[in-house]
Amino acid sequence: MWRFLSAADVGGPLLTSLNGNQGRQTWVWDAAAGTPEQRSAADAARAAFTANRHVQRHSGDELLRLQAAERVAAKAHAPPPAGQRVAEGEVPTAPAVEAHLKGALAFYECLQADDGHFPGDYGGPMFLMPGLVIALYTCGVLGDVLRPEAQAEMVRYLYNHQNPDGGFGLHIEGTSTMFGTALSYVTLRLLGEDAERAEVVAARKWIHARGGATHITSWGKFWLSVLGVYSWDGQNPLSPEMWLLPYSAATGVGWLHPGRFWCHCRMVYLPMSYVYGVRGTCKETPLTAAIRGELYPVPYGSIDWNAARSQIAKEDLYYPHPLVQDVLWWALYKAEAVLLGSRLRRWALKEVMAHVHYEDANTRYIDIGPVNKVINMLACWLEDPNSDAFKRHLPRVYDYLWVAEDGMKMQGYNGSQLWDTSFAAQAMLDCGLPDVAGAALAKAHAYIEASQVVTEAEAPLGKFYRHISKGAWPFSTRDHGWPISDCTSEGFKAALGLAALGRPGVVGPAISVERLGEAVRVILSYQNSDGGMATYENTRSFHWLEVLNPAETFGDIIVDYSYVECTSACVTALTAFQRLHPGTSWAPKIAAALDRAEAFVRRVQRPDGSWYGSWGVCFTYGTWFGVTALAARGHSAGSDPAVRRACEFLVSKQRLDGGWGESYLSCQDKVYSQLEGDSHVVNTAWAMMALLAGGYHAADAKPLHRAAAYLMRAQCDSGDWPQQHISGVFNRNCMITYANYRNIFPIWALGLYRRLVLLGEARDSGPAGAPAGAPGRAWLCAVSDFYAPAGAGAPRE
């Protein structure tokens, strides 16, 4: 049976950590684990998913919940049973909502890991695991790293997410693409599946019907070339020499230096350029020879590889190449005859590997994401198969693997630990039920404290194009360590809120003001010239460089843009700091930054009142952040037309059942798309929180009554909420799982609804800097920091 382990040292002595592996998530196979009943329950969950896989494509993290079953059975609270819940059309009461919240908090605490983080599935993309399997096979360590039980779970995962037409999507809910299908086909074959099995034959037919694997996207061409089943001559050049360009903007060409690219983009193309530059290819085996003959409807030797460079299946083409790219690729393609094996190529390869090794060392071999992690590992093997660098990569493979009832998948990061835990802490604080949530808050506080980046990355930062890190919070773990604006802001707000609770004996001592100041420094550093905040770094070059985007599948990858979500998180964080710690030396800089950030938020609001969400689905997510930013600045639906338009936009999308349900199609089409079927608890919670932040309930509370009733009816008897459609996104077109959202955001929304609507708490008019809980103040968090009990109120317990 598979067992989830937190903060474990799985992987042996080459594994290194800065904080005892806190937040590390691994799954291990233990044949003796579990009772017969538990093993039977796991099998039943797998069978149920497979039977329903084309209706509900998203796993429910049932194996994690099964592992917590004893704690769930012993929990102190449960929501009211189905027959005693609020009826449709009935206005919820404060005691009823409190009962649902207590049941939800008690259940969610059962999922919390001992180190304080909330584990969960962060899968979704279908192109990640194939790269890992191809790389491990190429390096000759597939069987060493992935035991037979793991390989079987990967096969289960692939078959569970095969579409009825035989193909595989870019992500688990997507329609079939050549990128997803060809790579999944190859992975099944490398994992031992027979070429004549019905599902494999169906995938092959899908590929052949669209002209064969020459029509795969550029990233797919790269991986097939590595395996030796596609020619490097059919790949647009990934010239490592680009890393030798001058970085200085004064040169003009410096604006094109890859060090100015968005970090995820440059950290993928960095090791790709090394592998391309040395033509790193798997040693031919009977299996790779067979696969090479299976992927194309014509003989392999007859393929025109120069023409294949530009062949992309119509199902995959989200971002077509403009003419300028075709000209650039043609010139570089012709130059390869001179560059390959040259002294300049050797110099470039040496420079590239210096950056690869820096990235590996400064992330403890986790790397910024799953794609560059695997390619960095491959590059280290190609450089020296016996190197310590390659060996140190292997134990960190397990950080990316997650097991659920749909099988084993590769996640889109090494998890979302800090992000989820920061949101969870704020949600619990905003509920105003610290006696119920106290133990979970204490553990969450410990994880948040242990995850702050307290040392800078290795100097010199500029040489390796790194932004400052000290004081920031990462998305996942301290060992990962890459700083992000919104993660820093959410971790910062959670830390402030836990301190403002005034119960150090319950939740632990507050993070020092000195460390908070370091976080302020980092948050301020993210502001761009347009007033908005970017993700990992500032925007370093021009937006028009997107014409060089070589990834046909993704949008907006070349530079780091300003986003409403990042900007809003920074606005609320800085505002909260100002209120709790007025008069610091940071105050003038914060005031100026907040004015510019507010102007950005207003400028990117759409004419219909919404904001486009770039990291969640989609307009409900973006609009929650947009409204919250303006609310933090003192605006409401009653006083500000922008907030009012946003609230009216959301109310116009409310569904008959009282909830909201937005399809991932909104992200790729940039037009609001209603979800088919039932509403979505996460979209509903985001919409509620936006309306509450904007004070819309002061004029009309009916939409909030209906939405709260929907969330209460949707809650499971255990206190959990059902896993519905996918709710995360990146680069416009690829969806990703946030398994904890189904718990965090309904708790948060119902907690705020109970306090602000049913208990009558009003807009805060208390003095700036008054401690949370003092007269005229409420809890300090993303929204409720700006509300207080009606009248002067007494200090809250």
Side-chain angles (χ1 to χ4, degrees):
M1 187 172 179
W2 288 98
R3 291 193 300 118
F4 172 77
L5 299 179
S6 177
D9 60 355
V10 175
L14 291 177
L15 186 74
T16 59
S17 175
L18 298 173
N19 63 356
N21 295 306
Q22 291 192 59
R24 188 180 189 222
Q25 300 178 155
T26 51
W27 287 84
V28 297
W29 173 258
D30 184 348
T35 65
E37 292 77 15
Q38 289 172 328
R39 291 193 287 272
S40 177
D43 289 340
R46 294 185 182 105
F49 181 88
T50 299
N52 200 41
R53 67 190 185 278
H54 295 312
V55 177
Q56 174 57 36
R57 299 186 179 191
H58 205 302
S59 62
D61 248 354
E62 294 300 331
L63 300 191
L64 179 70
R65 282 156 169 73
L66 181 61
Q67 189 163 312
E70 292 183 3
R71 294 193 296 274
V72 172
K75 63 186 173 64
H77 303 282
Q84 300 176 24
R85 298 189 182 183
V86 60
E88 194 162 348
E90 183 180 349
V91 175
T93 64
V97 175
E98 182 173 329
H100 279 271
L101 283 170
K102 287 181 175 179
L105 291 167
F107 174 84
Y108 195 40
E109 183 180 6
C110 296
L111 302 184
Q112 192 174 21
D114 290 341
D115 63 12
H117 86 276
F118 287 88
D121 183 352
Y122 191 61
M126 292 296 294
F127 60 89
L128 301 176
M129 189 169 70
L132 173 64
V133 172
I134 289 170
L136 293 175
Y137 185 87
T138 298
C139 297
V141 295
L142 179 62
D144 298 328
V145 175
L146 299 176
R147 59 181 300 141
E149 293 84 359
Q151 295 189 37
E153 289 295 337
M154 288 180 165
V155 169
R156 183 199 309 276
Y157 177 77
L158 290 171
Y159 285 141
N160 272 331
H161 293 289
Q162 187 172 21
N163 289 328
D165 64 3
F168 296 79
L170 178 65
H171 54 86
I172 58 175
E173 295 190 10
T175 56
S176 297
T177 63
M178 185 65 74
F179 189 27
T181 305
L183 288 186
S184 295
Y185 179 93
V186 166
T187 305
L188 286 167
R189 295 288 282 120
L190 293 178
L191 292 174
E193 292 301 283
D194 191 279
E196 298 310 313
R197 176 167 171 160
E199 295 92 336
V200 179
V201 170
R204 188 164 65 245
K205 287 181 177 178
W206 193 99
I207 295 168
H208 286 193
R210 287 151 184 85
T214 56
H215 293 264
I216 199 170
T217 59
S218 58
W219 284 22
K221 295 178 195 295
F222 171 84
W223 280 121
L224 296 182
S225 298
V226 168
L227 189 61
V229 298
Y230 185 98
S231 173
W232 285 108
D233 291 336
Q235 173 84 47
N236 279 327
L238 298 165
S239 307
E241 289 77 16
M242 62 184 176
W243 289 89
L244 299 179
L245 292 173
Y247 183 82
S248 172
T251 65
V253 72
W255 293 109
L256 302 176
H257 191 285
R260 297 185 180 277
F261 294 174
W262 181 45
C263 56
H264 274 285
C265 177
R266 74 170 182 269
M267 299 313 291
V268 166
Y269 284 103
L270 172 75
M272 269 189 178
S273 73
Y274 181 86
V275 177
Y276 175 83
V278 300
R279 301 300 194 269
T281 309
C282 180
K283 181 181 179 181
E284 183 173 316
T285 67
L287 180 55
T288 61
I291 294 171
R292 193 163 55 212
E294 295 163 12
L295 288 174
Y296 310 97
V298 298
Y300 186 79
S302 69
I303 295 172
D304 181 347
W305 293 110
N306 184 35
R309 291 188 300 113
S310 302
Q311 292 176 348
I312 304 293
K314 61 180 175 56
E315 292 86 352
D316 293 63
L317 199 56
Y318 183 72
Y319 186 86
H321 289 175
L323 178 62
V324 64
Q325 271 197 50
D326 293 334
V327 172
L328 175 64
W329 301 140
W330 176 85
L332 292 174
Y333 190 74
K334 294 298 184 182
E336 269 301 299
V338 176
L339 292 172
L340 189 62
S342 68
R343 181 179 298 179
L344 184 64
R345 174 60 53 89
R346 292 194 296 273
W347 179 21
L349 293 173
K350 183 178 179 180
E351 175 70 12
V352 165
M353 285 309 296
H355 286 270
V356 167
H357 292 313
Y358 179 90
E359 161 74 350
D360 291 344
N362 281 274
T363 61
R364 277 52 62 186
Y365 290 84
I366 298 170
D367 298 316
I368 194 172
V371 179
N372 87 307
K373 190 274 180 302
V374 172
I375 310 176
N376 276 21
M377 178 179 70
L378 176 62
C380 289
W381 180 81
L382 290 168
E383 183 185 44
D384 181 358
N386 297 311
S387 67
D388 190 60
F390 171 66
K391 293 174 184 177
R392 287 184 180 277
H393 265 289
L394 298 178
R396 286 299 188 181
V397 167
Y398 305 116
D399 296 49
Y400 282 94
L401 301 179
W402 187 265
V403 184
E405 68 270 23
D406 60 342
M408 177 177 280
K409 63 205 74 177
M410 192 174 194
Q411 301 186 103
Y413 224 75
N414 66 321
S416 53
Q417 296 91 315
L418 185 281
W419 181 250
D420 290 341
T421 304
S422 297
F423 274 149
Q426 293 179 70
M428 292 175 178
L429 286 166
D430 270 353
C431 283
L433 299 171
D435 292 333
V436 178
L441 285 170
K443 291 169 67 177
H445 195 191
Y447 184 73
I448 291 166
E449 189 279 331
S451 298
Q452 188 181 15
V453 179
V454 294
T455 57
E456 196 57 84
E458 184 182 343
L461 297 181
K463 179 180 178 181
F464 296 98
Y465 316 112
R466 283 294 297 266
H467 197 76
I468 58 173
S469 301
K470 186 178 180 182
W473 272 273
F475 183 70
S476 55
T477 63
R478 172 68 185 90
D479 284 332
H480 182 286
W482 271 84
I484 313 176
S485 62
D486 53 357
C487 300
T488 299
S489 296
E490 300 301 343
F492 182 76
K493 285 188 291 184
L496 289 174
L498 287 159
L501 186 61
R503 295 189 177 191
V506 175
V507 301
I511 292 176
S512 71
V513 175
E514 179 184 5
R515 284 172 58 181
L516 294 177
E518 291 169 346
V520 169
R521 177 181 69 105
V522 174
I523 293 170
L524 288 171
S525 75
Y526 283 113
Q527 192 160 41
N528 285 319
S529 60
D530 62 5
M533 273 73 170
T535 58
Y536 291 79
E537 299 157 344
N538 301 106
T539 304
R540 294 177 174 177
S541 195
F542 303 107
H543 290 184
W544 57 258
L545 280 183
E546 201 64 37
V547 301
L548 300 180
N549 177 358
E552 305 85 355
T553 306
F554 309 114
D556 293 351
I557 71 168
I558 296 296
V559 297
D560 203 337
Y561 297 86
S562 295
Y563 294 97
V564 68
E565 300 101 306
C566 297
T567 307
S568 173
C570 293
V571 165
T572 51
L574 293 173
T575 304
F577 180 78
Q578 285 282 70
R579 295 169 69 93
L580 277 181
H581 301 281
T584 69
S585 61
W586 293 107
K589 292 182 179 179
I590 290 174
L594 288 174
D595 287 342
R596 295 176 58 220
E598 180 182 340
F600 170 81
V601 170
R602 292 183 180 279
R603 192 163 59 250
V604 298
Q605 186 179 22
R606 292 160 65 101
D608 63 6
S610 68
W611 281 269
Y612 177 84
S614 296
W615 306 103
V617 178
C618 170
F619 293 99
T620 43
Y621 185 70
T623 303
W624 167 47
F625 277 100
V627 171
T628 301
L630 297 182
R633 297 286 287 158
H635 308 292
S636 69
S639 63
D640 190 299
V643 178
R644 185 162 55 252
R645 289 200 317 274
C647 292
E648 290 170 350
F649 167 83
L650 289 172
V651 171
S652 74
K653 305 302 180 185
Q654 191 170 23
R655 294 150 69 103
L656 293 176
D657 61 8
W660 279 260
E662 189 175 4
S663 167
Y664 76 83
L665 295 174
S666 294
C667 302
Q668 63 186 45
D669 298 338
K670 299 184 181 181
V671 176
Y672 192 99
S673 300
Q674 290 282 3
L675 193 65
E676 293 183 5
D678 296 334
S679 291
H680 198 298
V681 297
V682 177
N683 289 140
T684 300
W686 288 336
M688 285 182 68
M689 292 168 69
L691 294 173
L692 291 164
Y696 189 81
H697 56 285
D700 184 5
K702 293 191 292 295
L704 288 154
H705 294 320
R706 294 176 59 219
Y710 165 75
L711 290 181
M712 294 162 74
R713 291 194 303 272
Q715 191 176 20
C716 304
D717 290 341
S718 64
D720 199 1
W721 270 275
Q723 179 61 60
Q724 298 170 295
H725 292 272
I726 205 158
S727 55
V729 64
F730 62 91
N731 299 125
R732 308 291 189 234
N733 194 39
C734 193
M735 307 305 124
I736 196 161
T737 295
Y738 286 88
N740 280 296
Y741 279 12
R742 70 202 248 205
N743 301 101
I744 293 168
F745 289 107
I747 289 172
W748 206 343
L750 286 175
L752 289 171
Y753 167 76
R754 169 181 165 270
R755 294 178 56 213
L756 306 181
V757 178
L758 301 181
L759 298 182
E761 298 185 9
R763 191 66 178 259
D764 179 16
S765 58
R777 291 302 311 280
W779 259 227
L780 172 83
C781 271
V783 173
S784 66
D785 177 36
F786 310 105
Y787 293 84
R796 296 185 65 86
E797 293 296 325

